[in-house]
Each structure stands twice: as C-alpha cells, then as structure tokens.
Amino acid sequence: MRTTIEILQKIFTQRFYIQNTGFFLVLFYLLFGVVDGGNLISYHTSLMLGFLGSYTFLLIVLLLWGLYGLKCVGFILKTFQLQGYEFLYPTMGSIDKPMRRRIWLLLHTAIYMPVLVYAGIAAGVGIVHGHYLPVAMIVVFNVVMCIWPLLLYERKLHQPDVLFFTGHLQRWLNKHFTKPPLLFFLYELFTNYPRRIFSVKLFSAGVLWLTFFLLAQMDFDIRGLQLGIILSVLLHMQLMLHHRSFDDTYLNFVQQLPVPLWRHYIRVTGIYALLYLPEMVMIVVNAYGKTSLPGLLTCFVVAVSLLVLFRCLLYFSKIDAEIHLRYVLLISFVVLFMILGKYEWPAVLLLQAAAAIVFLAKYRTYEPLPKMGS
C-alpha cells in the first residue's frame, strides 16, 4: 500500500507542483518579493489582521482560497481523463473504501497545503488577538474545502464518463462553429480547462495591478511596467506546458501537413498574441496617457516574443518542466537587463530570431514526450 501511495503522490502531487511552477513563482513574488526582508513578518501579520478584522476582506480571501481549491479539484479530476492514466480507475477501485477515502484526503490536502499552512498561521494570529469568529470561519471553510472534494473523486471513480457543463458547452460549439487552426488550443482551454486559464489570467491581472499600483507611487517608468509584464508572462508557463501536451495528443499530425513552416510559426505566434490580449487591454487602459503608443506597442511585442520563445523551447523533445524553467528564468533575466539598459527592440529581435531558429530547426523533427513523463 505504501508503494501505491508513493506512486499516486508522484502522479498527482508532484505533477501538480511541476505544472504550476509559474503560478507559484508569481504567488511567491506577490507574498514575499514586494516587501523588504526586514519587514516581512510585520507585513504578513498586518495582512492577516486586516482580513481577520474585516468580514468583507475575509470573504475576498476565502473566495481566493476557494478558487485555489477548485484548481486542485480540477487537476485531480482531469488527471483521470488523460491518456496513459486509465489504470487509475482499477487501481483506486480495488482499494477498500475507507482506505481510499484516506488516500483521497492525503492527495487533496497535499496540493491544497499552501492554503492550509497560511490559513493555519492566520488562525494562530487571530486567536492571539481575540478574533475568534473569523478564526472559526477560516477553520470551518478549510475543513469543508478538504472534505467535499472527496465526494467528487468518488463520483468520478464510479462514473468516469460524467460530463460537466464544459462538456455540454463543447458539444454546442462543435455543432455550430468551425474553428480555424489558430483557435484549436484556445478552444481546448476554454471548454475543457476553464479553471486553469481563469486562474492564470486572474493572477496575471493581479501582477499587472500591483505593478501599476507601485508605479503610481513614483514617476511612471515604462521599464517598470515591462518588469511586471515579464512576471505576467512567467505565469503563463503552465499554459505552455499544457499547449505542448495538447499538441502531442491531438495535433501531432499537423507537423506533417504540406503547409510551409512559416505559416506554422505565424499560427503559434498568433495563439500567444490572442492569449495575451486581455493583459494588453488592461495595460492600455491603465497606461494610456502616461506613455506613448510606441511604448505600448513595445510592451506588447516584448510579451508576445517572450511567450513564443518559451513555447518554442519545448520543441526540444527532451526538455522537461524543470529544465524548461531554468532556461526561461535565464532568458528572462537577460531580457530584464536589456530593458533596464533601454535595449528593448534589440531584445525583441534576439527573442524573435531565437524563436524562429528553434522552431524551423525542431518543428518537423519534434517527437512527443512519453505520456507518463508529461
């Protein structure tokens, strides 16, 4: 049984944290990177007392925790639907129900643990300062968030073909619309993984909002905005990994179609230009009048160039999530220093040249990762 639990931990817990590396990097930046190290404890103590002392603030915090909980639930449920993981049904079904429920609880709390740790510290602070009712709300909320998903996991195990609302939406769209290749991946995200793209866009908007908030405290500098854009782009890493998995599973035949390589490259560029469009709308709304239109165009081009290059790196067949992260961070630091030196357009040219070279060299010869290693 111990071996089975270890295997399940690798399938669920380890894969969850690897696939959401970008998400946790941005979260770490928001919680710890924006505060001086000497004030870190007082900052978080004040933040906790803030939502413990205001029910409106507390409801917002609980909503964010709930969204993260839905993200955890969605990940476990979607894993059962991935090709190569069909063995999970007979494996989990052969375990006694009491033991299986304990395993579900172990797996769910392992990926929900960041919230449990922070909520536990907040509850301790609340007890010390006499906020007993908010502490009770936090405890009850997190107990519920750890218990109710077990019912969903059991239902999925016994009814593997259950369709949720996204399944009905997908059927309706397939019936009424013919999608161009440019929209294949975006359609996949919005119909089958709405929580994933929603969480990425929510935290990406949070990073940009924080960037504009900090810039409002000083003279507006386009380079500060571009720093926020780089962090926002890093948050999209999990979507790139999912894009790779989607192409491996459904679109590997596209590589062999008699279509010029440059058209494939434009398609990939178009996907990420559309994907980053909501952030650009937010940037234009908040930065209009504070910088020039060429400056806004530079921001958009830098963001799309980074996204395309980060995606093209995954055309190296042996690059896994950990190696990909190393290259992504290295490239981001180089681009950051070029931006600080006001070499934005040379950086764009280097990014586009590198992306095009990698794409043209690897696209036709790319071989998908083994399913169990993705």
Side-chain angles (χ1 to χ4, degrees):
M1 181 59 66
R2 181 177 179 180
T3 303
T4 301
I5 294 175
E6 290 176 351
I7 293 173
L8 292 174
Q9 287 281 20
K10 291 181 180 180
I11 292 173
F12 292 102
T13 307
Q14 184 174 322
R15 285 180 59 252
F16 176 81
Y17 286 108
I18 290 176
Q19 290 189 12
N20 293 278
T21 301
F23 169 82
F24 286 108
L25 280 174
V26 174
L27 186 62
F28 183 85
Y29 169 77
L30 292 176
L31 292 177
F32 303 102
V34 298
V35 185
D36 180 71
N39 299 322
L40 195 58
I41 295 179
S42 60
Y43 167 77
H44 282 282
T45 302
S46 300
L47 180 63
M48 292 173 183
L49 291 175
F51 63 73
L52 288 168
S54 170
Y55 289 108
T56 301
F57 193 4
L58 179 59
L59 289 176
I60 294 175
V61 171
L62 295 181
L63 175 62
L64 293 176
W65 290 349
L67 291 175
Y68 180 79
L70 291 177
K71 180 182 180 68
C72 299
V73 172
F75 177 82
I76 292 180
L77 294 178
K78 292 295 183 181
T79 299
F80 278 85
Q81 300 174 200
L82 296 177
Q83 291 185 358
Y85 292 94
E86 295 86 357
F87 70 91
L88 289 172
Y89 289 104
T91 300
M92 297 298 294
S94 64
I95 301 174
D96 293 338
K97 193 171 183 178
M99 176 60 70
R100 187 170 65 239
R101 287 182 174 176
R102 288 195 290 271
I103 293 176
W104 287 134
L105 183 63
L106 175 65
L107 295 174
H108 180 76
T109 54
I111 60 179
Y112 189 68
M113 188 59 65
V115 169
L116 293 178
V117 171
Y118 200 85
I121 296 173
V125 172
I127 292 174
V128 170
H129 290 82
H131 297 287
Y132 300 114
L133 181 57
V135 168
M137 293 174 62
I138 289 174
V139 171
V140 171
F141 175 84
N142 282 285
V143 169
V144 171
M145 288 302 298
C146 289
I147 298 300
W148 75 265
L150 309 187
L151 303 176
L152 283 182
Y153 303 151
E154 283 290 311
R155 182 170 180 260
K156 181 65 176 177
L157 186 63
H158 296 291
Q159 303 179 37
D161 58 342
V162 169
L163 288 175
F164 299 95
F165 77 96
T166 53
H168 298 289
L169 174 62
Q170 186 175 13
R171 288 180 175 180
W172 185 85
L173 291 174
N174 286 336
K175 182 178 180 180
H176 293 87
F177 297 97
T178 301
K179 304 177 294 296
L182 179 66
L183 299 180
F184 284 172
F185 174 59
L186 299 179
Y187 173 82
E188 165 79 358
L189 284 178
F190 282 106
T191 54
N192 291 333
Y193 299 90
R195 288 183 296 272
R196 178 170 298 180
I197 190 169
F198 176 77
S199 62
V200 168
K201 292 301 178 182
L202 179 65
F203 280 90
S204 178
V207 168
L208 293 177
W209 176 85
L210 180 62
T211 300
F212 282 111
F213 174 78
L214 295 175
L215 290 175
Q217 313 303 314
M218 60 191 77
D219 293 334
F220 187 88
D221 190 338
I222 191 68
R223 293 174 296 178
L225 174 57
Q226 289 169 336
L227 171 60
I229 289 174
I230 291 176
L231 294 171
S232 171
V233 166
L234 288 174
L235 188 58
H236 289 71
M237 282 175 55
Q238 59 175 308
L239 298 184
M240 297 174 200
L241 294 171
H242 182 61
H243 188 190
R244 179 193 204 176
S245 177
F246 174 73
D247 283 355
D248 289 353
T249 305
Y250 300 105
L251 293 186
N252 53 354
F253 72 92
V254 173
Q255 298 174 4
Q256 309 306 324
L257 293 178
V259 177
L261 279 175
W262 64 267
R263 291 186 62 180
H264 286 300
Y265 183 72
I266 290 178
R267 175 175 60 84
V268 173
T269 303
I271 288 172
Y272 287 96
L274 288 176
L275 190 63
Y276 204 73
L277 192 58
E279 282 83 356
M280 276 313 303
V281 172
M282 180 179 179
I283 290 170
V284 170
V285 170
N286 287 274
Y288 185 76
K290 300 177 182 178
T291 186
S292 62
L293 290 178
L296 293 175
L297 177 62
T298 302
C299 292
F300 186 52
V301 173
V302 167
V304 174
S305 300
L306 284 169
L307 288 166
V308 173
L309 177 56
F310 294 163
R311 173 63 184 95
C312 288
L313 289 177
L314 293 172
Y315 285 111
F316 287 95
S317 300
K318 295 184 179 180
I319 283 189
D320 57 18
E322 182 179 352
I323 298 174
H324 183 244
L325 175 62
R326 296 175 188 173
Y327 283 110
V328 164
L329 292 178
L330 177 61
I331 293 169
S332 299
F333 282 123
V334 172
V335 173
L336 173 61
F337 283 114
M338 294 185 72
I339 287 174
L340 293 177
K342 298 185 178 180
Y343 294 106
E344 294 94 338
W345 282 104
V348 168
L349 293 176
L350 287 175
L351 291 171
Q352 287 290 343
I357 290 172
V358 172
F359 186 89
L360 297 176
K362 294 295 182 179
Y363 185 74
R364 294 293 191 195
T365 60
Y366 169 74
E367 295 182 0
L369 282 174
K371 297 300 181 185
M372 293 302 296
S374 58

